[in-house]
Amino acid sequence: MATDDLTRIETVENAQGVATAWAHERRLAVRDFDEFARDWFLRAAPENRVRINLRATLESFHSVCKHYETEWATNVALLADLTSSWNLETVKHLAVFNVAGIAGAAALLTNPAYASQIATKLALPLFAGGLIAALLNFWTNTRGNALAYRHALKQRRAATSAREWKDVGAFLEEFKGKFTPTDWFSIAERVGWSSAAFGLAGVACLGVSLM
């Protein structure tokens, strides 16, 4: 323990000076610890206002911030890839489904053997419903991943810009808004099952018409 570790800190300015020196020793000048030092000085009991206590608290604070900054940075990278993938898949499947739907409808309508049957006529709207539900599935998943990505990005920035202990609580905040990523994923799951149900019903109708 250095001889000055037990030196008392008498003013906010002294506390800020200790914090600045501590940050420079660790090359952490990118983060401003003035607000943290001020908050620590005002909250700490007078008998605990010594250099070693402030340094230890700074070390703990920085460790917590760094942990969450790294964690959210990982989430941001992952969710960025997911968002990009879902956007790409949405565009691809929109084209594929539309072309397949148009081709299938045209083929059935031009074939008298099938076009006149009730089962075939029922199959068309069922497949159309399945197509719409499938596209909604892609879109809602895209929305959910996009919101989750933006939330992770916000949390990473909060971890980077934290100035006081009270700021740490922001790292763990749930998404706030009318629709959360979980809401979108829940909708996506429901429309996904709907799409499968419509498709199976359409296959059943075609099977009946071919019998």
Side-chain angles (χ1 to χ4, degrees):
M1 182 185 297
T3 56
D4 68 338
D5 281 346
L6 297 178
T7 301
R8 292 183 60 80
I9 298 176
E10 303 294 345
T11 65
V12 170
E13 288 72 20
N14 290 154
Q16 291 174 335
V18 172
T20 299
W22 176 89
H24 285 167
E25 288 172 8
R26 290 158 180 76
R27 298 181 180 180
L28 300 176
V30 65
R31 188 190 295 277
D32 184 0
F33 290 95
D34 280 356
E35 291 183 31
F36 180 88
R38 183 186 301 108
D39 181 69
W40 174 87
F41 182 85
L42 296 175
R43 291 174 181 271
E47 62 272 16
N48 292 329
R49 291 173 183 168
V50 293
R51 288 173 179 260
I52 190 173
N53 288 343
L54 176 53
R55 289 173 180 270
T57 309
L58 283 164
E59 193 73 49
S60 177
F61 176 71
H62 175 65
S63 178
V64 170
C65 291
K66 193 65 178 177
H67 167 75
Y68 283 108
E69 183 180 345
T70 301
E71 184 173 301
W72 281 112
T74 301
N75 287 342
V76 165
L78 174 61
L79 291 168
D81 290 339
L82 283 173
T83 301
S84 177
S85 296
W86 275 109
N87 283 330
L88 177 61
E89 289 300 311
T90 299
V91 174
K92 287 168 58 178
H93 284 80
L94 277 169
V96 171
F97 279 136
N98 277 292
V99 171
I102 292 171
L108 287 172
L109 290 172
T110 57
N111 191 326
Y114 298 110
S116 61
Q117 297 186 31
I118 295 176
T120 303
K121 293 177 180 179
L122 287 175
L124 288 176
L126 286 171
F127 280 124
L131 170 59
I132 293 171
L135 296 178
L136 283 174
N137 178 266
F138 282 105
W139 183 72
T140 49
N141 270 301
T142 299
R143 290 295 304 152
N145 281 309
L147 285 178
Y149 165 69
R150 287 200 291 270
H151 178 61
L153 187 61
K154 176 184 174 183
Q155 300 303 78
R156 187 189 69 176
R157 288 171 177 168
T160 303
S161 62
R163 298 288 181 266
E164 303 176 36
W165 273 116
K166 67 179 182 181
D167 297 330
V168 173
F171 306 163
L172 303 177
E173 286 183 353
E174 295 293 331
F175 183 90
K176 296 178 180 178
K178 293 182 178 179
F179 269 87
T180 68
T182 301
D183 293 329
W184 283 112
F185 294 142
S186 179
I187 294 172
E189 183 177 2
R190 288 184 175 89
V191 296
W193 281 107
S194 297
S195 177
F198 278 124
L200 289 173
V203 170
C205 286
L206 288 181
V208 171
S209 67
L210 291 172
M211 290 177 63

